Amino acid sequence: MSVFSEKYGPWALVTGAAMGLGAEFARQLAARRLNLLLLDINAEVLTEVSKSVSKEFNVGIRPIVVDLAQPDFLRNVSSDLDEQIGLLVNIVGGSAIGHFLDLPLERHLSMLAVNVRAPLILAHHFGGLMRARKRGGIIFVSSISALSGTSDFSEYSATKAYDLVLGEALWQELRPCGVDVLTMIVDAADTPGWRTENPNPEAKTWPPVMSAADTVRETLEALGKTPSFVPGAQHQSRVE
Ligand SMILES: NC(=O)c1ccc[n+]([C@@H]2O[C@H](COP(=O)([O-])OP(=O)(O)OC[C@H]3O[C@@H](n4cnc5c(N)ncnc54)[C@H](OP(=O)(O)O)[C@@H]3O)[C@@H](O)[C@H]2O)c1
């Protein structure tokens, strides 16, 4: 057993695990010998990812198809594995581009549920169990747009500011209890979600978009060392 799996094992729960950063966390955590509870709304792709990670790394995988916007989603997630979740990776997040008043209120409320309510509920439930065991870790995902209000992303950036502030506060509160909390502040990572918002692959961005693999690798290396973190040296320079 590695130091990582002793501290954060034997199971990790990853939300948004069918694609993008969540799927990459699943792969890299399996490579670190953690078993995986994988949550996503997309049943078909979640099944594919679960099969491929299980085949490649031979770890325990339990996929759960769940809509994290639903008020009672925790009932579908909570199970006999609760006490064994040593790492919670809160990745799922929705975004909507457009003027605040031009987007339907329902869209705003759904984003609030997925980006704010769901990670809050999961951190409260699993964080409590980790504190009782005196070990574990929680990862939140924020965005560089959380660092100041961003027009056309008004509510998205506000929800990501919530994730950042909650994560940094929990880093301080849970550290003495043996639980590491880290908030990753992502600038641009190459995922299906990023490509939907940046459809022209030829367009040059600065700093260049990072691979999902490097984004996740750097985040896992930072876990336990700092309250929040911007993956990618060139991306860090945007906030200095
Ligand atoms: N990629 C970036 O550059 C970037 C930058 C800043 C912050 N972030 C943050 O990083 C996180 C992951 O981003 P990503 O680009 O990896 O996303 P992604 O490629 O869009 O993947 C997100 C996954 O979550 C699933 N999902 C969406 N709504 C859900 C719900 N209500 N319940 C359960 N699963 C749901 C999606 O399923 P469907 O596709 O079927 O909806 C998809 O499988 C997000 O919180 C995002 O805000 C990303």
Side-chain angles (χ1 to χ4, degrees), residues 17-69:
M19 279 185 210
L21 295 175
E24 188 56 36
F25 268 106
R27 275 187 283 275
Q28 294 196 25
L29 292 172
R32 290 171 180 252
R33 309 309 308 154
L34 262 56
N35 303 300
L36 300 168
L37 187 61
L38 301 178
L39 272 49
D40 205 282
I41 199 170
N42 188 327
E44 196 181 328
V45 188
L46 183 64
T47 303
E48 280 169 27
V49 168
S50 301
K51 281 186 185 158
S52 113
V53 174
S54 165
K55 193 172 164 197
E56 187 174 355
F57 299 101
N58 193 27
V59 294
I61 308 258
R62 190 183 290 181
I64 300 183
V65 178
V66 60
D67 179 357
L68 293 167

Side-chain angles (χ1 to χ4, degrees), residues 49-50 55 68 77 92 94 111 114 120 127 145 167 196 219 228 230 237:
V49 168
S50 301
K55 193 172 164 197
L68 293 167
V77 172
V92 81
M111 212 180 342
V114 175
L120 166 71
S145 69
T196 302
T219 300
S228 55
V230 181
S237 67

